[in-house]
Amino acid sequence: MLTYEQAYEIALRQMPNIDACAEYENAYMFKRKAENHSIGGHGFIIIMKDSGKTVPQTEFFEKYATDLIREFDVTAEDRKGKKARKK
């Protein structure tokens, strides 16, 4: 099972400047808050906890989505390799 820190490192390779995360029972969804209300853009980077596989947003919600555990900001500490703060 992937940790938050491992998933964050995978996501950073695909989307720099991540500043928000949603944790589901089986995945982490990373995003940029500035793209919340945009059409197009990078969207979300969804990393499955069991495999580290990146899954497209539509596929995740159609096939894999589970209960949302929490949403939180990705902090400066995360970018330095420390654990995310809980909200």
Side-chain angles (χ1 to χ4, degrees), residues 47-69:
I47 310 294
M48 300 302 294
K49 289 181 178 180
D50 62 349
S51 65
K53 176 183 171 188
T54 302
V55 178
Q57 179 181 347
T58 302
E59 181 179 345
F60 176 73
F61 284 112
E62 288 180 352
K63 296 181 181 178
Y64 304 113
T66 57
D67 289 337
L68 176 66
I69 295 173

Side-chain angles (χ1 to χ4, degrees), residues 6-75:
Q6 292 167 320
Y8 178 69
E9 289 300 318
I10 293 168
L12 274 179
R13 291 184 216 136
Q14 299 175 49
M15 181 191 293
N17 303 319
I18 292 167
D19 60 6
C21 181
E23 181 179 4
Y24 289 82
E25 291 176 349
N26 63 345
Y28 293 100
M29 179 184 300
F30 296 94
K31 66 178 184 170
R32 293 182 191 137
K33 288 189 251 177
E35 294 188 14
N36 276 349
H37 305 289
S38 69
I39 298 172
H42 291 283
F44 303 110
I45 302 295
I46 301 167
I47 310 294
M48 300 302 294
K49 289 181 178 180
D50 62 349
S51 65
K53 176 183 171 188
T54 302
V55 178
Q57 179 181 347
T58 302
E59 181 179 345
F60 176 73
F61 284 112
E62 288 180 352
K63 296 181 181 178
Y64 304 113
T66 57
D67 289 337
L68 176 66
I69 295 173
R70 64 186 175 131
E71 291 182 296
F72 55 95
D73 292 338
V74 173
T75 65

